[in-house]
Amino acid sequence: MKEKILLTRNIHDFALKELRKKFQVEIHKGKIPISQKILESKIKEVDGLICFPYDKIDKEIMQLAKKLKVISTYSVGYDHIDTQFAKENKIRVGYTPEVLTDATANMAFALLLDVLRRISEGDRIIRKGQWKQIYGAYDYVGLDLHGKTLGIMGLGRIGKILAKRAKAFDMKIIYHNRKQISKTEEKKIGVKYTTFKKLISQSDIISIHVPHTKETNQIFNMKIFRKMKNTAFLINTSRGKVINEKDLAIALKQKIIAGAGLDVFETEPINKNHPFLKLENIVLAPHIGSSTKETRSKMSEITIKNLILGMSGKKPIYSIGY
Ligand code: DGY
């Protein structure tokens, strides 16, 4: 009998076709995300799992999964999976870095351009029929990018590509990372290492590219916003939980900082009463960092490759822990 794979959501047809050749495949068709209750009942029978960033694959779920060999997530982020517990229990975990690096870096840069040049704000003005005057010295003015200092928080794959984009726009680039990269690489990319404290106080724009961990949870909060320039902007395409959203809404409203561009949120989709929705100096995107036709298709390809390798006892192409 074929081994059983559960997908908590659909992926591309070509990938499903491949999976069905080897496994018995079940795709969750109900409400998304799958409820913990349904997941708990299904996981017991499953040999492999394909999941998404909003599925909570914790210790409790894995303890129920007596046959589970592989968890393959359709994402680069894996903060939704208890990878330590998976490792201890010899459950392989696959994820999808690299293929989404460019798309996500481009998204960060798009948010940066949008918020500095007030594109979405202008779009709202036109749609509401409020475009009354044209081409004045003070009308709808945004900011130049060239000469501005971009602070990259977390210079991993995505941060490095963002640096490349920013360099093409003649920006100065500083970064903070757990570990400083080599001087040779710094020179090649055109970036300068700095402390977190200096990154916060010297950047005109800060773009966040760190994973969500215990250490980075709400690392951007009022204390930090008060140390940023009041002309500074914050961009986030990593995970919503690295920002204290309540503090950010106040900081934007009171102009403690100038603006923000966010692709990720503490809870997604955001609530219709969320304070961000009343602010003009913020650009919001519905978690689309990796969402290009090409990238999402490659993510499907890697997700199933990771799963298939793990099911045959091999290490996934991209794996965490075991
Ligand atoms: C990821 O892969 O973790 C991204 O957040 C999806 O866009």
Side-chain angles (χ1 to χ4, degrees), residues 208-266:
I208 311 174
H209 300 280
V210 292
H212 176 240
T213 61
K214 265 199 274 149
E215 292 71 36
T216 62
N217 188 53
Q218 301 202 347
I219 190 171
F220 284 86
N221 52 47
M222 192 53 88
K223 204 171 128 208
I224 300 299
F225 300 141
R226 289 200 190 281
K227 288 183 183 148
M228 287 168 67
K229 298 181 184 178
N230 59 12
T231 50
F233 294 82
L234 185 67
I235 307 294
N236 189 15
T237 51
S238 65
R239 281 293 178 266
K241 289 181 178 145
V242 302
I243 293 179
N244 181 319
E245 288 185 353
K246 226 165 123 199
D247 286 359
L248 179 59
I250 298 169
L252 291 170
K253 192 166 178 209
Q254 297 182 0
K255 307 277 157 67
I256 294 166
I257 67 167
L262 308 180
D263 183 45
V264 284
F265 304 88
E266 267 177 38

Side-chain angles (χ1 to χ4, degrees), residues 51 92 126 299:
C51 64
R92 296 214 188 260
I126 294 175
M299 286 170 72

Side-chain angles (χ1 to χ4, degrees), residues 63-113:
Q63 271 167 342
L64 293 170
K66 302 286 180 234
K67 292 159 53 181
L68 191 64
K69 290 201 232 168
V70 194
I71 300 165
S72 179
T73 184
Y74 187 89
S75 59
V76 62
Y78 48 84
D79 53 316
H80 54 297
I81 304 170
D82 186 339
T83 52
Q84 185 55 36
F85 187 82
K87 187 177 169 186
E88 284 161 16
N89 289 275
K90 297 207 173 337
I91 300 170
R92 296 214 188 260
V93 178
Y95 71 129
T96 66
E98 289 190 356
V99 290
L100 49 64
T101 300
D102 280 74
T104 310
N106 290 348
M107 184 66 197
F109 205 75
L111 287 171
L112 189 161
L113 265 172

